[in-house]
Amino acid sequence: MPRASAAFGWRVTFLAPRYRPRFAMETACAGATLPAVFPETRYSAVAAAASDDPDERRAAVARLVQGYYKPVYAHLRARWRLDPERAADLVQGVFEHVRARDVFAAYQQDRGRFRTFVRTCLDHVVESDFRAQQRKKRGGGQRFVSAELLAEYEVDLGAAEPAEDPFDKEFVRALFERGVERLRERLAAANKSQYFELFRSYDLVDQDDRPTYATLAERFGLRSTDVTNYLHFARKELRRALVEELRALTRDEAELEEEARALGLDIEAIG
């Protein structure tokens, strides 16, 4: 798996220009189209965060933390100019505030996208914290994101320009990391690990280092047409995985479609 720091420069043809990662995802494919083998997952953690079931709410918040801790941390570092330790402390504070007050359950879709709602809540928490003029331990010691994970992620922020608020870019980068990992796991479970290895060898490398299809065919003991078809299959399943990841972070199908359009993901083409 590539490190997240490589993702800033990605280029993907099915994404809107400002969000395109560094691998070329050609949509044209010669030869037969392989059928999808993975059932679609329809789960919205945003909707589940408003459930009457406390266990379901707790699981939903954990899923939303997974989707947003990197954008939140990046926003604190870039927008509020906080040092790593202060930013890491406030990441815990933000999610403790969310948990204690059921903030995600209060989201109203007619007021904008959930992603915008998260960023607005984040800024309100930071402003309140600044007014308090003190750092304090949040949530009775509960840690929503490990210090080790944030310390590892700190390396990735070096590529961001100081004046740039990377919240949206980090949201997309984290989305792609989870999508690629989901793709790897699914292909492995379906005994199609070779599909992912082809995908990784071609689409997850710098363009200057990208081998030809003929080279890949020789390396993996395949025909060139197999390389073409396997890559097409993996790319289509990546799109499916990305939509499922995005669906978990949106309230309903309408918001999913809005977010997908913003990213340049064609949901209808995935089905």
Side-chain angles (χ1 to χ4, degrees):
M1 289 292 293
R3 286 189 58 82
S5 57
F8 258 127
W10 282 2
R11 216 174 39 245
V12 181
T13 57
F14 62 78
L15 283 182
R18 66 186 180 279
Y19 292 136
R20 289 177 180 168
R22 184 169 54 220
F23 55 90
M25 281 214 165
E26 301 89 343
T27 55
C29 176
T33 300
L34 297 176
V37 296
F38 307 114
E40 187 175 19
T41 300
R42 290 181 174 268
Y43 170 74
S44 168
V46 178
S51 170
D52 293 332
D53 184 337
D55 290 336
E56 186 175 358
R57 286 201 309 273
R58 190 177 304 110
V61 169
R63 179 65 182 82
L64 292 170
V65 169
Q66 181 189 37
Y68 277 99
Y69 82 86
K70 286 186 177 181
V72 165
Y73 182 73
H75 183 77
L76 291 171
R77 294 280 285 118
R79 167 69 174 81
W80 293 96
R81 299 293 194 271
L82 300 181
D83 62 48
E85 182 180 1
R86 181 84 165 107
D89 183 65
L90 272 176
V91 166
Q92 314 303 330
V94 166
F95 290 120
E96 167 57 22
H97 174 83
V98 164
R99 183 200 62 78
R101 301 192 180 188
D102 275 339
V103 171
F104 288 157
Y107 167 63
Q108 296 180 12
Q109 191 171 354
D110 59 358
R111 295 186 179 181
R113 288 184 295 182
F114 184 75
R115 181 157 37 123
T116 303
F117 173 76
V118 172
R119 183 165 49 190
T120 300
C121 291
L122 168 60
D123 287 337
H124 286 166
V125 172
V126 176
E127 289 166 0
S128 297
D129 191 86
F130 280 4
R131 285 195 298 266
Q133 290 297 310
Q134 62 178 352
R135 294 174 56 195
K136 58 183 179 180
K137 194 172 186 181
R138 313 279 183 162
Q142 181 178 2
R143 306 294 287 181
F144 288 84
V145 184
S146 71
E148 292 80 7
L149 194 58
L150 289 173
E152 178 182 350
Y153 178 56
E154 179 64 24
V155 178
D156 299 332
L157 296 178
E161 297 180 5
E164 180 184 17
D165 181 354
F167 184 89
D168 288 332
K169 286 187 176 181
E170 292 303 311
F171 174 84
V172 174
R173 179 164 68 173
L175 179 78
F176 267 84
E177 288 177 343
R178 294 191 306 277
V180 170
E181 179 60 18
R182 181 181 288 219
L183 172 68
R184 185 193 66 78
E185 292 174 351
R186 285 183 169 180
L187 291 176
N191 294 320
K192 294 182 182 292
S193 294
Q194 189 176 57
Y195 288 50
F196 184 81
E197 292 305 316
L198 278 168
F199 173 78
R200 178 164 58 183
S201 298
Y202 188 84
D203 283 334
L204 297 185
V205 299
D206 291 331
Q207 187 170 2
D208 293 342
D209 299 327
R210 188 171 296 142
T212 65
Y213 279 20
T215 299
L216 288 174
E218 183 178 358
R219 182 187 305 173
F220 287 92
L222 300 169
R223 298 173 300 177
S224 293
T225 53
D226 291 334
V227 173
T228 300
N229 289 331
Y230 288 10
L231 286 175
H232 176 71
F233 180 85
R235 291 161 182 164
K236 184 174 182 179
E237 291 306 322
L238 174 60
R239 292 182 179 90
R240 188 188 307 277
L242 289 173
V243 168
E244 291 176 358
E245 288 290 333
L246 196 57
R247 178 177 280 115
L249 302 179
T250 51
R251 176 74 180 185
D252 55 23
E253 292 299 299
E255 188 184 4
L256 169 65
E257 292 175 3
E258 183 181 359
E259 284 281 31
R261 281 195 301 272
L263 298 179
L265 276 170
D266 186 351
I267 296 178
E268 293 183 357
I270 295 172

